[in-house]
Amino acid sequence: MTHTIDTRCVHAGREDFGALGVHAPPIDLSTTYPVTDLAIGTASFDALVAGEPRAENPIYARLHNPTVARVETAIAQLEGAEACIAYGSGMAALTALLMVSRSRGGHMLAVRPIYGTSDHLLTSGLTGIDCEFVPADEIAARCRPDTALVLIETPANPTLDLVDIAAVVKAAGDVPVVVDSSFATPILQNPLAFGARYVLHSATKFLGGHGDVIAGVIACAEADAKPLRTMRAATGALLHPLAAYLLHRGLSTLALRVERAQHNAIELAQRLSGHGAVRRVFFPGLGSVRNDHLVKMQMRGPGALMALDLHGGHAAAAAVMRAVQLITPAVSLGSVDTLIQHPAGLTHRVLDESARQECGITDGLLRLSVGIESLEDLWIDLAQALDTALASTALAGAA
Ligand SMILES: *Cc1c(COP(=O)(O)O)cnc(C)c1O
C-alpha cells in the first residue's frame, strides 16, 4: 500500500497470484459453487447476504465472484478506499447508491452539470428519490433533515466545470457526498481524501480504457460497502467476470494512458484556442472553466477531456463530426483512441432545453476525449475538420 499509484495500477488486486501460482488473473465463470458442508454453506450465505466482502464458500455468483472481487480490491487501492463494489455499468452503480440512500430520506441535492443520463435518472423520479439541482454554494442552505445524499461531478460532463469537493463536504455536514470522478480517474484525483463518502466511476471510460467493457464502481469505507453489497446481491446489477477481467487488465496501463492522453490534451487545448472556428475551449487550467483554480488544489493534472464551443453553432459542430477521419465521432470517453461528440444532440439530449442552457450546453459545443495517438496526427485531423467546418458554414452564410 505504500507503493506509488503507478506501481499500484500494475500490481493491485494481484496479491493472491503467488499462492495460486499464476501470472494473470484466473477467470471464474461459475454460477454456483458446491456446498458439501452445509454448516459452512449456511454461514457463508448469511455473511454474503449481510454484505461481507467474502466468505468461505462463494455459494452463488450473484453473491460473490472472485474475479470481480480482485478488480474491486485493485480499484479500492487506487482510490485509497477500504472497499469497492463493481456493477454492470456506471448507471447501475449510481442506481444502487440512490436505492441504499433512500433509507436516510427521500430527498437529495445535486450540482449541474452532470452526465446526461445521471441527470435524467435524478429528474425522472424512477428511484423514488426527489432530487433538487442547486448551485454548489447553496448546498448548506438547501440540506433538509430528509436529505439523503449530495451528488457532484468534477470535472463535470460536458463543460469541465470544477466543483470544490472539500467545500461541498463541509456544506453538506452529516449528509454523505458522492463524487462522480469518471473524468479525473484515481490518477488525477482522490475525492475520499477531501472528505467525500463515496467515489463513483463509470469504469466504461478511462478505467477500462479500450472501449470494450461497460462497468461501474463505487469506492467507499467498508461500513458503507456492506449495504451496497446487500443491495447488489438482491437486485443483481452485477459485473460479469469476463468484464471484470478486461477492466483489471485495463487498470495496469491506467497511469500511462492518462499521462499520455493528458499530455496530448494540454497541447491540443492551446492550439485549438487559436483556431478561427473555435469560440472557446473549456479545459481545466486554461482559465476558461468554472472554479479553474481547483485544478491545482484537488487534482494532479487537467485530464484529457475538453469541450469546444464553435462560432458556427450546430451546423459547424455537425460538419466537424462529418469531417474527422482519424478521430471517431462517437459518444463515450477515456478510450485509447480520440472521440468527439455533440452533447446537445447526444449525451445531454435527455435534458430539457432550459436545463441545457443552465449548464452551458450550447448547440455549437463539442466534447473531445483525447486519446494516446501521436499529437501531430490528432492536430492534423482536428485542424482539417475545423477548416472544413469553417468553409462550409461560411458558404452557408454567403448563400
Ligand atoms: C458514462 C458516464 C456515466 C455512466 O456510466 P455507464 O458506464 O455508461 O453506465 C456516469 N458518469 C459519467 C461522468 C459518465 O461519463
Side-chain angles (χ1 to χ4, degrees):
M1 280 300 284
T2 52
H3 291 131
T4 67
I5 194 150
D6 308 71
T7 303
R8 276 180 272 153
C9 282
V10 180
H11 288 276
R14 293 162 193 261
E15 294 77 8
D16 61 346
F17 285 12
L20 291 173
V22 298
H23 187 61
I27 303 171
D28 185 339
L29 295 174
S30 305
T31 55
T32 191
Y33 295 85
V35 177
T36 46
D37 183 318
L38 186 56
I40 291 175
T42 303
S44 296
F45 185 88
D46 288 349
L48 293 171
V49 168
E52 290 299 330
R54 70 193 68 79
E56 198 169 337
N57 188 320
I59 305 291
Y60 187 60
R62 184 158 32 72
L63 305 179
H64 184 85
N65 176 277
T67 310
V68 175
R70 270 191 207 93
V71 75
E72 291 175 333
T73 302
I75 294 171
Q77 286 185 29
L78 297 185
E79 280 296 359
E82 287 173 356
C84 170
I85 307 95
Y87 298 88
S89 70
M91 292 317 303
L94 178 57
T95 302
L97 182 59
L98 296 180
M99 291 177 78
V100 162
S101 302
R102 278 287 280 125
S103 65
R104 280 190 292 261
H107 176 251
M108 69 172 286
L109 298 174
V111 178
R112 270 179 172 148
I114 54 176
Y115 175 65
T117 304
S118 303
D119 194 298
H120 179 61
L121 179 67
L122 298 182
T123 317
S124 66
L126 279 170
T127 57
I129 230 170
D130 170 32
C131 180
E132 276 187 87
F133 290 99
V134 296
D137 57 9
E138 287 180 23
I139 287 172
R142 302 283 280 276
C143 276
R144 313 192 311 216
D146 66 337
T147 305
L149 190 68
V150 173
L151 178 135
I152 57 173
E153 197 175 290
T154 181
N157 192 346
T159 54
L160 284 300
D161 282 3
L162 302 183
V163 185
D164 189 333
I165 300 169
V168 166
V169 167
K170 187 157 177 260
D174 293 340
V175 180
V177 173
V178 54
V179 178
D180 185 329
S181 194
S182 303
F183 273 34
T185 82
I187 305 302
L188 302 178
Q189 175 174 281
N190 296 117
L192 302 184
F194 296 94
R197 184 98 159 250
Y198 304 96
V199 51
L200 185 147
H201 289 281
S202 168
T204 312
K205 315 294 168 56
F206 287 99
L207 302 188
H210 297 74
D212 55 8
V213 52
I214 297 244
V217 296
I218 296 173
C220 58
E222 176 55 28
D224 290 322
K226 284 190 167 63
L228 286 166
R229 290 194 201 98
T230 299
M231 180 66 75
R232 184 179 61 180
T235 58
L238 307 173
L239 184 64
H240 191 274
L242 288 174
Y245 176 89
L246 288 172
L247 179 55
H248 203 168
R249 181 177 163 124
L251 287 184
S252 46
T253 54
L254 178 65
L256 272 180
R257 288 186 284 106
V258 169
E259 276 161 28
R260 166 64 179 238
Q262 175 176 260
H263 168 84
N264 283 345
I266 290 169
E267 180 63 27
L268 287 177
Q270 291 287 353
R271 294 190 193 179
L272 287 165
S273 303
H275 194 285
V278 179
R279 188 200 306 276
R280 188 163 162 189
V281 176
F282 297 87
F283 184 63
L286 277 190
S288 57
V289 304
R290 193 176 299 168
N291 295 316
D292 194 69
H293 64 285
L294 292 171
V295 70
K296 290 212 169 61
M297 291 171 61
Q298 64 188 27
M299 299 181 74
R300 291 181 286 273
L305 266 298
M306 71 186 75
L308 319 173
D309 193 19
L310 304 183
H311 285 298
H314 189 279
V320 168
M321 287 192 55
R322 238 187 344 264
V324 284
Q325 287 167 12
L326 176 68
I327 294 167
T328 309
V331 300
S332 199
L333 58 102
S335 186
V336 284
D337 60 320
T338 301
L339 303 170
I340 197 162
Q341 69 103 8
H342 187 250
L346 297 166
T347 53
H348 290 71
R349 186 83 207 142
V350 282
L351 275 70
D352 61 37
E353 182 68 36
S354 67
R356 276 207 296 278
Q357 268 173 17
E358 174 195 329
C359 297
I361 303 169
T362 57
D363 283 345
L365 196 76
L366 287 172
R367 189 191 69 194
L368 182 70
S369 171
V370 179
I372 64 170
E373 302 95 328
S374 129
L375 170 64
E376 295 308 327
D377 289 339
L378 290 176
W379 173 242
I380 289 167
D381 194 34
L382 276 170
Q384 69 79 21
L386 287 166
D387 290 344
T388 304
L390 204 54
S392 69
T393 47
L395 277 179

